[in-house]
Amino acid sequence: SASSRSAVPADLKKYWEVKLGGKLTQPVMVDGRVYVVSKDVHTVCALDAANGKTLWKYTAGGRIDSPPTVDQGRVWFGSADGWIYCLRAEDGVMAWRYLVAFADRQIISCQQPESAWPVSGSVLVHNNTVYSLAGRNLFFDGGMRLVRLDSATGKKLSETVLDEIDPQT
């Protein structure tokens, strides 16, 4: 939401600085942790908000182009490898992952391997449901696949294929 419930002082001061390397996403701060993605090295980093110390790092199977979604002690993000990942916020251990792509088929894009149906953008989490979309557009490679998953378990709740064949999509 790009908002803060806390008052922001007019005179800001730098408390710490960390060099993570690579192209970074916008940071997300939740419960004393700062989460940021190093896009081209496929890595989500959790930093201590008080001092910038790295708490954990997790490397996914493909490029991550957006900040993670953080709530209820979990960290969710999509990757260009076609998967959604759910990590425990406490230690970065994977709780579950789900293949949103139609199949685990890799291609080369921008000199990196990725799925023919990458998961781009942030993962939406609302009312304990994860929403995510994989694919490039409606007219190629079978279209796009939209899934709804249980946020705690990764169990599929529903799936919709969006393509040029079905006039409803």
Side-chain angles (χ1 to χ4, degrees):
S1 65
S3 66
S4 173
R5 293 182 182 149
S6 303
V8 179
D11 294 328
L12 299 177
K13 297 177 183 150
K14 184 189 301 186
Y15 282 96
W16 50 264
E17 181 177 338
V18 176
K19 301 244 187 248
L20 297 174
K23 297 176 187 173
L24 304 177
T25 63
Q26 299 85 349
V28 175
M29 186 170 158
V30 178
D31 296 330
R33 289 188 177 97
V34 176
Y35 302 90
V36 65
V37 169
S38 186
K39 296 178 184 185
D40 294 330
V41 293
H42 318 172
T43 303
V44 177
C45 301
L47 309 171
D48 186 311
N51 57 26
K53 178 184 171 206
T54 300
L55 301 172
W56 55 259
K57 291 183 178 184
Y58 184 89
T59 302
R63 195 178 359 248
I64 307 165
D65 67 2
S66 301
T69 301
V70 183
D71 190 34
Q72 300 176 358
R74 295 185 201 95
V75 178
W76 299 272
F77 61 92
S79 172
D81 65 358
W83 293 80
I84 292 176
Y85 293 79
C86 176
L87 310 178
R88 295 189 318 215
E90 176 184 336
D91 55 13
V93 171
M94 183 170 48
W96 56 262
R97 72 178 186 153
Y98 185 88
L99 183 62
V100 184
F102 291 103
D104 194 8
R105 184 180 315 153
Q106 302 292 303
I107 62 171
I108 299 297
S109 177
C110 300
Q111 300 175 344
Q112 293 208 18
E114 69 177 49
S115 173
W117 305 277
V119 177
S120 300
S122 294
V123 173
L124 173 66
V125 180
H126 181 67
N127 291 334
N128 299 315
T129 302
V130 173
Y131 299 83
S132 190
L133 183 69
R136 297 180 190 283
N137 70 55
L138 301 177
F139 303 100
F140 299 111
D141 301 322
M144 302 177 83
R145 182 176 182 216
L146 172 67
V147 295
R148 291 177 50 245
L149 309 171
D150 178 89
S151 64
T153 65
K155 180 181 175 204
K156 182 173 69 173
L157 302 174
S158 72
E159 157 184 342
T160 304
V161 175
L162 307 166
D163 61 25
E164 83 286 0
I165 297 170
D166 184 352
Q168 298 297 320
T169 64

